[in-house]
Structure formats: structure tokens, C-alpha cells
Amino acid sequence: MPPRISRSLLKPAPRASGEPVRTRKAEKPGSPPEAIDYGNLGNFIGYELRRAQMRLYDDFFRTTKGTGISPALYGALVLVECNPGVQQGHLGKALGVARSGAMTMVDRLQSLELVVRRPSPHDRRAYGLHLTAKGSRLAAELHRRIAAHDRRMGEKMTEDERRQLMLLLRRI
Amino acid sequence: MPPRISRSLLKPAPRASGEPVRTRKAEKPGSPPEAIDYGNLGNFIGYELRRAQMRLYDDFFRTTKGTGISPALYGALVLVECNPGVQQGHLGKALGVARSGAMTMVDRLQSLELVVRRPSPHDRRAYGLHLTAKGSRLAAELHRRIAAHDRRMGEKMTEDERRQLMLLLRRI
DNA sequence: TATTGTTATACTCTATAACTATA
DNA sequence: TATAGTTATAGAGTATAACAATA
């Protein structure tokens, strides 16, 4: 079964201008006057999963800063790179978004000049998606940065533990 | 250090009417004509984290169906329950959202008649948040359902493995 | 009739900024 | 001057529904 990237998990938002904003604690750095009781929240897998992903997203956005690429767009970029000529609709399905959502994503990638739509030779309704030269270059750069990012995410565990983590995550 | 629930990790959206919609694959059940190559995506911790959370969110929304409670609102409900009289702003900080976001969440909980704002005895600018009787009942019900949900999430691993997973997640 | 891309519309989530009452 | 709550506004993300062109 091919893995799927979920809509809800690729969400955090790039800005219109292309520059992701992560205004963590924009309001005030000061901590809440009284410690807050989180009850049973910390015993839930879902809670630790969320916290882990929060930290990971923070690092991801620092990693891709200046590129305008969110996790969702990176996923799309990888898919176009690995499947040159893929149809927009298929991309959307693979990413778990509706066609209109795929439309928006590809529009964005096109406006960043990373991806082009070329008429499909077989189906005059469809377009094939391809990386531009600029898109290829950025993809290569992002692969490097994101591989380093992913290593950082696992730097506090051994290689065995990392494998164990991946296995356990797949069992959820 | 008190745990924090991230804005970006509590995101998936409840509907205005209160009923969460999870139209997974609303477009077509059919699989893409050709298998799609996901490249190196599956070797990233972030990717597996996202997939795991996607599955978890699906189950969470099935679990809370009919209540209008999203993960974010459940978090808020727990915090109000565990910290009766907590100020809205402190709640927002604990949840990692701006004051206006806390406002929206509390408005929602109030419109669901789960939470009330009572004037603070010490500070005439502030309100204390409290569960209503209905809120207490729903919280109790949700605790049961979500505890079961969390057990389901870990049902494919041993108790030791679950503990290991929690430990590794905290190391990210 | 079904599918591809597209557009229009609507909704949630979240942020910033300005306003008010109070501290 | 700073803070608590509020309101207005804006942008991202995603969904559904309808449409034209094509299969």
C-alpha cells in the first residue's frame, strides 16, 4: 500500500509572499504567572505525537526559511521530481488533497517558477507536471537541508532507537 | 518545563455547526492509475510522524463525532477542567495560540454551553473560565472515549513498546 | 456518462493591530 | 505604561459545487 501524506498533517501555512512566518510566542515571552496543570494530556500518544511534531515543524520551517516551501509543498515537489509528467489530479490524490487544493499548490509552485504544466500528449484535458531547472536546483538544495533537518530530529537517539521509532510510528 | 500544545499541531478543523467533517477521499475511492513514487519521503521521521498523526486524527475525529470537539478544543476543555478559574489569556499561552485565538476557542466552548466566563474577583479586567455542568459531563464522557481512542492507537504494540515510543517522541 | 482542470464560494484556523477598561 | 479582553481584518489551508473541454 503506497504511503499517503495527509491533508491535515501537511498543513502549516506558508505566507502569500512566500516567506513562512513562525511567530512563536509573538505576544509576550513571559511565562504564565501560575503553572498550569495539564492533567492527563501528557499520557496520551496523541499528545506526545503533537508535541514532537510541533518541534519538528519549527525546525522544518527554520530549515526551509527563505524558500517559501512548506512541508506540503516539499511533498509536492518530491512527487513531481520522482514522477515527472504526473497529472495534477494524481498529485492531489497522493497528497490527500482535493483537486482544488492540488490546483492551489501547483499554482504556488508555478508562481515560484519551480514547476511547469505541460500539455499531456495522451489526454488533451490533462497537464503533466515537471520541475523547471530552478525547481530541480531548489529540490536538490532542499533535499540536503531537509536530510540534515531529519538527522537533527533523530540526534538524541541511537540508530537502533531511530529505527524502532519509525517502526512504532508505522504501527499506530 | 510545562508541556505546550502547539498551534500548528492542534489544527484540524471543526465545522461552524459543530460537527467535524472528515471527508477523507471525498473525490473518488479509486486509486491512482499508476503507482506513485514517493522517493525518499518514507525515510524521514517527519514523514512517518505525519502519517501516524494522520491516522490518529482520523480516529480522534471518529471518537469525538457528534460533540463538536476538535483536538484543540479538547485540550482547552482539559485545561479549564484542571485549572478552574483560569484566565483566557493564560489558557491561550498554554495552548500556544494568540489571545484572539483563545477568544475564538472560548467563544466556541461557550456557545456549546460547556464553559462559562465569570468575572475574576481579583482583577476586574479578567474573567475566570469554568466548566458548566454540561461541560463537566461532556469532559467526563470525552475522557472515556479518548482514553479508549488512545489505547487503540497503541494496540499494535506492547506496553514496553508504547513506553519506548513515548520516550523517543519526547527526544525529538 | 465520467474525468481533468478550473473557478467560485465558504469555512476554519491563526496572526496582527487597534480599541476599552482596568491595573 | 502595561495588561485582559475584545473586535476587525487578513491570509493560509481545505472543502464542496458547478462549469467547460475532452474522454
Side-chain angles (χ1 to χ4, degrees), chain A residues 3 5 9 37-38 43 45 47-48 50 53-55 83 150 156 161-162 169-172, chain B residues 3 9 37-38 43 45 47-48 50 53-55 83 150 156 161-162 169-172:
Chain A
I5 302 178
L9 300 177
D37 180 2
Y38 282 75
N43 297 326
I45 289 178
Y47 180 75
E48 291 299 336
R50 281 193 303 233
Q53 204 177 33
M54 153 196 137
R55 295 186 292 270
N83 307 272
D150 209 69
K156 287 183 185 153
E161 286 171 333
R162 186 196 151 102
L169 286 175
R170 293 192 190 104
R171 278 198 223 156
I172 288 177
Chain B
L9 301 176
D37 180 2
Y38 283 74
N43 296 327
I45 290 178
Y47 180 75
E48 290 299 336
R50 281 193 302 235
Q53 204 178 34
M54 153 195 138
R55 296 186 291 271
N83 306 271
D150 210 68
K156 286 181 186 155
E161 286 172 333
R162 185 197 152 103
L169 285 175
R170 293 191 190 105
R171 278 198 223 156
I172 289 178

Side-chain angles (χ1 to χ4, degrees), chain A residues 138-151:
Chain A
L138 182 62
E141 170 67 17
L142 286 173
H143 296 334
R144 278 192 294 275
R145 289 200 210 173
I146 289 170
H149 147 76
D150 209 69
R151 281 194 297 274

Side-chain angles (χ1 to χ4, degrees), chain A residues 2-13 22-25 27-28 30 32-33 35-39 41-57 71 74-75 78-79 82-83 86 90-91 93-94 98-99 146-147 150 153-154 156-157 161-162 164-166 168-172, chain B residues 2-13 22-25 27-28 30 32-33 35-39 41-57 71 74-75 78-79 82-83 86 90-91 93-94 98-99 146-147 150 153-154 156-157 161-162 164-166 168-172:
Chain A
R4 303 206 157 221
I5 302 178
S6 158
R7 175 178 72 262
S8 53
L9 300 177
L10 292 172
K11 213 176 287 184
R22 302 295 284 173
T23 44
R24 187 145 297 285
K25 294 178 202 134
E27 296 274 332
K28 270 297 171 201
I36 282 197
D37 180 2
Y38 282 75
L41 243 33
N43 297 326
F44 289 133
I45 289 178
Y47 180 75
E48 291 299 336
L49 215 48
R50 281 193 303 233
R51 289 199 58 208
Q53 204 177 33
M54 153 196 137
R55 295 186 292 270
L56 187 137
Y57 266 80
Y74 180 66
V78 168
L79 259 48
C82 294
N83 307 272
V86 66
H90 297 169
L91 183 76
K93 272 180 188 158
R99 278 177 307 167
I146 289 170
D150 209 69
M153 296 301 94
K156 287 183 185 153
M157 57 190 83
E161 286 171 333
R162 186 196 151 102
Q164 173 79 349
L165 173 62
M166 300 289 268
L168 291 176
L169 286 175
R170 293 192 190 104
R171 278 198 223 156
I172 288 177
Chain B
R4 301 205 161 225
I5 303 176
S6 159
R7 173 177 75 264
S8 54
L9 301 176
L10 292 171
K11 213 177 288 187
R22 302 295 284 172
T23 44
R24 188 146 296 283
K25 293 176 205 139
E27 296 277 331
K28 269 297 171 203
I36 282 197
D37 180 2
Y38 283 74
L41 243 32
N43 296 327
F44 289 134
I45 290 178
Y47 180 75
E48 290 299 336
L49 214 49
R50 281 193 302 235
R51 290 200 56 208
Q53 204 178 34
M54 153 195 138
R55 296 186 291 271
L56 188 137
Y57 267 80
Y74 180 66
V78 168
L79 260 48
C82 294
N83 306 271
V86 66
H90 298 168
L91 183 76
K93 272 180 188 157
R99 279 177 307 168
I146 288 170
D150 210 68
M153 295 302 93
K156 286 181 186 155
M157 56 189 84
E161 286 172 333
R162 185 197 152 103
Q164 174 78 350
L165 173 62
M166 300 288 269
L168 291 176
L169 285 175
R170 293 191 190 105
R171 278 198 223 156
I172 289 178

Side-chain angles (χ1 to χ4, degrees), chain B residues 104-164:
Chain B
T104 305
M105 291 176 66
V106 174
D107 279 351
R108 176 85 51 86
L109 290 175
Q110 192 166 267
S111 78
L112 291 170
E113 299 180 306
L114 305 174
V115 160
V116 287
R117 293 168 163 109
R118 290 198 209 134
S120 164
H122 307 307
D123 186 337
R124 275 164 38 207
R125 296 170 300 181
Y127 292 91
L129 302 176
H130 300 266
L131 292 191
T132 62
K134 185 176 174 186
S136 290
R137 281 196 303 273
L138 182 61
E141 170 68 17
L142 285 173
H143 296 334
R144 277 192 294 275
R145 289 199 210 173
I146 288 170
H149 147 76
D150 210 68
R151 281 194 297 276
R152 278 196 299 278
M153 295 302 93
E155 73 186 358
K156 286 181 186 155
M157 56 189 84
T158 67
E159 194 52 42
D160 271 358
E161 286 172 333
R162 185 197 152 103
R163 267 193 293 273
Q164 174 78 350

Side-chain angles (χ1 to χ4, degrees), chain A residues 46-107:
Chain A
Y47 180 75
E48 291 299 336
L49 215 48
R50 281 193 303 233
R51 289 199 58 208
Q53 204 177 33
M54 153 196 137
R55 295 186 292 270
L56 187 137
Y57 266 80
D58 276 356
D59 194 87
F60 186 98
F61 276 102
R62 275 195 299 275
T63 299
T64 60
K65 192 169 186 177
T67 64
I69 297 299
S70 65
L73 290 179
Y74 180 66
L77 214 51
V78 168
L79 259 48
V80 173
E81 186 182 41
C82 294
N83 307 272
V86 66
Q87 285 182 28
Q88 189 173 284
H90 297 169
L91 183 76
K93 272 180 188 158
L95 293 171
V97 299
R99 278 177 307 167
S100 58
M103 185 69 196
T104 304
M105 292 176 65
V106 174
D107 279 351

